[in-house]
Amino acid sequence: MKIGLLFGSFNPIHIGHLIIANYMANHTALDKVWLVVSPQNPLKKYGDLINTYDRLEMAKLATENASNISVSDVELKLPQPSYTIDTLAHLKEKYPEHEFALIMGSDNLVTLHKWKNYNLILRDYQIFVYPRPGYENAEFASHPSVTITMTPLMELSATFIRKSIKEKKNIQFFVPDPVLKFIESKSLYK
């Protein structure tokens, strides 16, 4: 089985993430997509990242009815900070029957050269890239391991959702209903 890995903080998960995962699972050579909840991206500031297990639970709630999208907590069990190359090596060893590929936005493709052992990622893994506004001409876009997809553009961010919650604005339809209920029940992002 060919599994695409979509890494993220999912702080919170929203319909943009789900559209990307659904597109990749149904419109590319991937059989399934795993949403990999990351405890902390080594290239990002900590900011207002909520509890990892709350983010994991929201991702599970958002995908509970998806047949070819699931949630992985693999990075929660690995040493921190979590580097993609280390997670990939761990998954390859744990699931030798699967072939793993990366899913990333074109904004991440632009910074791929900053990633730990990025050359090994390019050598050993296929990368499926979804478009992000302003990042059309990435250095590695023409690399043989990179597939640029026609994933629908969604200009929605977790930052926008967190800000909306703080400002007491309605976020219905930006996140799945079970995620909205979870956020409200725990008074998250206020």
Side-chain angles (χ1 to χ4, degrees), residues 2 4 20 23-24 27-30 99-109 112 121-122 125-132 135-136 138-151:
K2 191 167 191 170
I20 292 164
Y23 180 91
M24 294 295 176
H27 298 274
T28 68
L30 297 170
E99 179 184 345
F100 292 98
L102 286 179
I103 298 170
M104 69 174 64
S106 54
D107 55 331
N108 283 320
L109 193 60
L112 185 63
I121 294 172
L122 283 167
Y125 298 92
Q126 191 172 5
I127 303 173
F128 291 84
V129 179
Y130 56 90
R132 294 293 294 260
Y135 296 95
E136 288 79 22
E139 175 185 352
F140 299 109
S142 59
H143 192 280
S145 295
V146 174
T147 301
I148 305 295
T149 68
M150 299 299 291
T151 309

Side-chain angles (χ1 to χ4, degrees), residues 69-82:
I69 303 169
S70 53
V71 178
S72 172
D73 63 355
V74 64
E75 287 205 331
L76 309 187
K77 301 169 184 172
L78 296 174
Q80 300 302 311
S82 51

Side-chain angles (χ1 to χ4, degrees), residues 112-179:
L112 185 63
H113 66 281
K114 295 180 181 178
W115 292 26
K116 178 182 175 185
N117 296 335
Y118 75 92
N119 52 334
L120 296 180
I121 294 172
L122 283 167
R123 185 190 75 191
D124 297 338
Y125 298 92
Q126 191 172 5
I127 303 173
F128 291 84
V129 179
Y130 56 90
R132 294 293 294 260
Y135 296 95
E136 288 79 22
N137 300 313
E139 175 185 352
F140 299 109
S142 59
H143 192 280
S145 295
V146 174
T147 301
I148 305 295
T149 68
M150 299 299 291
T151 309
L153 276 173
M154 175 68 57
E155 290 193 52
L156 178 63
S157 70
T159 303
F160 167 80
I161 292 168
R162 291 191 305 271
K163 183 175 185 275
S164 297
I165 293 169
K166 280 182 186 158
E167 295 172 356
K168 297 180 170 72
K169 293 184 180 170
N170 187 324
I171 61 162
Q172 184 181 20
F173 307 119
F174 295 135
V175 299
D177 286 341
V179 173

